[in-house]
Amino acid sequence: MVSSKDVATQAGVSQATVSRVLNHPDRVQEKTRRKVEAAIEALKYVPNAHARSLVQDTTKLITLLSGPLYNPFFVETTSAIVTYANERGYQVNVQFVQDDELAEAYATAIQTKMAGMILSCVFLEDAIFEQLTHMSIPFITYNRKHARNEYFVEIDNVQAGYLAAKHLQDLGHTRIAFIGGSQKVSTFRDRFIGVQQALGELPQELIVHDTASKAEVLKAHAKLKTLSAPPTAIVCGADSIALEVMDVAYKERIQIPEELSIIGIDNVERSRHGAIELTTVGSISERNLGLVAIQELIKMIESEKKPCIQITESVKVFCRSTTQPC
């Protein structure tokens, strides 16, 4: 386990200086403080005494680290989380972060005295999981989960990918593409696994990962459109991706579903809009994952026992207007 001595050695300062940075940073020169803070981040150091000081007092603050607001999934889940927490007397400190901003967001979050943390942006391999466990801070992830397979709420993402691809296959499509996100994330990894279980090994030209922004989705669509044999259908790894693909397809006068069938995963509220009618896969119960997660987190906070939450919601296809037979 990393100690304050290791941090001092890494930063080239004394242990007393490390202690001052942790407890009285205003009394340390900025250059020295930055060196120590960089060493703490590099070594993923969590000081025991400091951790205890953050959690020992009663607090009604919950930290939420959410994905970006351009994704309607996070709009809906954040609203549900904040509303329920407020009803139970908790305040929620919300940070909307991109995956490449996580390290900084984590560093800021763990310096805050809180009752618990809820995350929708954890990677399969992520140091924050060990840090929160070591600091005895109740936490839960939703939509994504850590490789340790603990403290999470999700839909059955493998089955979701399978059902999405099988739906298109059953409609007679044989050129089916997949547009998803980073395979370092459980959600997209598992959904892609499900797609391959249904369709077998997809040609590489029909697979696009790491579409974390609208610009990347546009590039993915452009790549698929220029193939000698373009796909007749696309499995999108999330409804947010499907909505962006639909937008660019309509702008290019591509008829949906006559020329291109599109299916998403998540069943966000916007997908049901009468002007959109996106075929998608989502929870059979249609429960808001953020709401389920905050309910479970508050139970953990208020209970002496800390059960390991492992919730996987069953899924089904919601057949609407963006898919049809090939």
Side-chain angles (χ1 to χ4, degrees), residues 234-260:
I234 301 175
V235 176
C236 295
D239 282 358
S240 59
I241 296 173
L243 293 169
E244 294 293 353
V245 173
M246 288 177 65
D247 182 53
V248 68
Y250 282 131
K251 288 176 180 175
E252 295 179 355
R253 303 293 189 268
I254 297 171
Q255 297 299 309
I256 301 170
E258 293 83 1
E259 297 176 89
L260 180 66

Side-chain angles (χ1 to χ4, degrees), residues 140-153:
I140 194 165
T141 70
Y142 70 96
N143 192 50
R144 297 185 184 185
K145 64 181 179 182
H146 191 271
R148 278 179 49 174
N149 207 41
E150 297 175 336
Y151 302 106
F152 67 86
V153 176

Side-chain angles (χ1 to χ4, degrees), residues 10-318:
Q10 175 92 353
V13 299
S14 67
Q15 282 182 271
T17 299
V18 173
S19 178
R20 279 195 296 274
V21 169
L22 292 173
N23 296 293
H24 304 287
D26 55 312
R27 301 179 188 175
V28 183
Q29 290 185 353
E30 183 178 1
K31 182 178 179 181
T32 302
R33 177 172 54 79
R34 287 183 175 178
K35 285 167 59 178
V36 173
E37 289 173 345
I40 289 171
E41 173 61 24
L43 296 173
K44 306 301 180 187
Y45 172 62
V46 180
N48 290 338
H50 187 53
R52 284 194 297 272
S53 74
L54 294 177
V55 299
Q56 65 187 357
D57 297 327
T58 301
T59 177
K60 301 289 279 187
L61 178 68
I62 291 172
T63 296
L64 165 62
L65 297 185
S66 170
L69 274 176
Y70 62 72
N71 185 333
F73 174 86
F74 296 121
V75 176
E76 293 174 19
T77 53
T78 298
S79 177
I81 288 166
V82 172
T83 299
Y84 182 81
N86 289 169
E87 289 172 353
R88 295 295 303 269
Y90 290 85
Q91 296 298 311
V92 183
N93 177 22
V94 185
Q95 293 186 56
F96 297 102
V97 294
Q98 303 275 9
D99 284 347
D100 60 2
E101 301 169 337
L102 280 179
E104 182 178 351
Y106 290 156
T108 300
I110 63 174
Q111 299 300 315
T112 303
K113 185 168 66 177
M114 69 185 100
M117 183 183 288
I118 182 167
L119 311 93
S120 65
C121 47
V122 70
F123 290 115
L124 277 161
E125 302 292 341
D126 205 318
I128 192 64
F129 200 92
E130 298 296 338
Q131 288 178 315
L132 293 173
T133 301
H134 183 62
M135 295 171 72
S136 299
I137 295 177
F139 71 96
I140 194 165
T141 70
Y142 70 96
N143 192 50
R144 297 185 184 185
K145 64 181 179 182
H146 191 271
R148 278 179 49 174
N149 207 41
E150 297 175 336
Y151 302 106
F152 67 86
V153 176
E154 63 168 2
I155 63 170
D156 188 335
N157 287 304
V158 174
Q159 183 69 359
Y162 176 86
L163 290 178
K166 191 70 167 59
H167 172 74
L168 297 175
Q169 188 179 56
D170 290 346
L171 292 174
H173 294 276
T174 56
R175 288 285 287 175
I176 300 172
F178 176 81
I179 301 179
S182 171
Q183 295 296 286
K184 295 179 181 178
V185 171
S186 66
T187 315
F188 291 117
R189 181 204 63 177
D190 290 350
R191 292 174 183 182
F192 183 58
I193 288 172
V195 168
Q196 290 189 304
Q197 286 180 356
L199 305 178
E201 196 75 25
L202 285 177
Q204 282 300 123
E205 64 182 8
L206 295 178
I207 303 170
V208 184
H209 294 308
D210 296 327
T211 50
S213 68
K214 182 174 182 176
E216 289 164 339
V217 173
L218 297 180
K219 285 170 59 178
H221 180 267
K223 169 192 169 184
L224 295 172
K225 188 180 67 171
T226 58
L227 295 175
S228 57
T232 61
I234 301 175
V235 176
C236 295
D239 282 358
S240 59
I241 296 173
L243 293 169
E244 294 293 353
V245 173
M246 288 177 65
D247 182 53
V248 68
Y250 282 131
K251 288 176 180 175
E252 295 179 355
R253 303 293 189 268
I254 297 171
Q255 297 299 309
I256 301 170
E258 293 83 1
E259 297 176 89
L260 180 66
S261 285
I262 297 173
I263 187 169
I265 300 174
D266 280 330
N267 193 32
V268 299
E269 186 174 346
R270 192 181 300 176
S271 71
R272 310 166 208 172
H273 192 286
I276 297 173
E277 286 289 323
L278 172 66
T279 299
T280 185
V281 179
S283 166
I284 289 175
S285 71
E286 299 189 59
R287 295 199 297 172
N288 183 298
L289 288 187
L291 177 58
V292 177
I294 190 64
Q295 289 172 338
E296 295 297 330
L297 177 63
I298 290 177
K299 286 180 188 176
M300 291 170 61
I301 291 169
E302 297 180 351
S303 172
E304 291 184 6
K305 296 181 179 180
K306 307 297 181 189
C308 180
I309 307 302
Q310 297 167 302
I311 297 176
T312 300
E313 296 267 299
S314 298
V315 294
K316 69 175 184 179
V317 175
F318 292 84

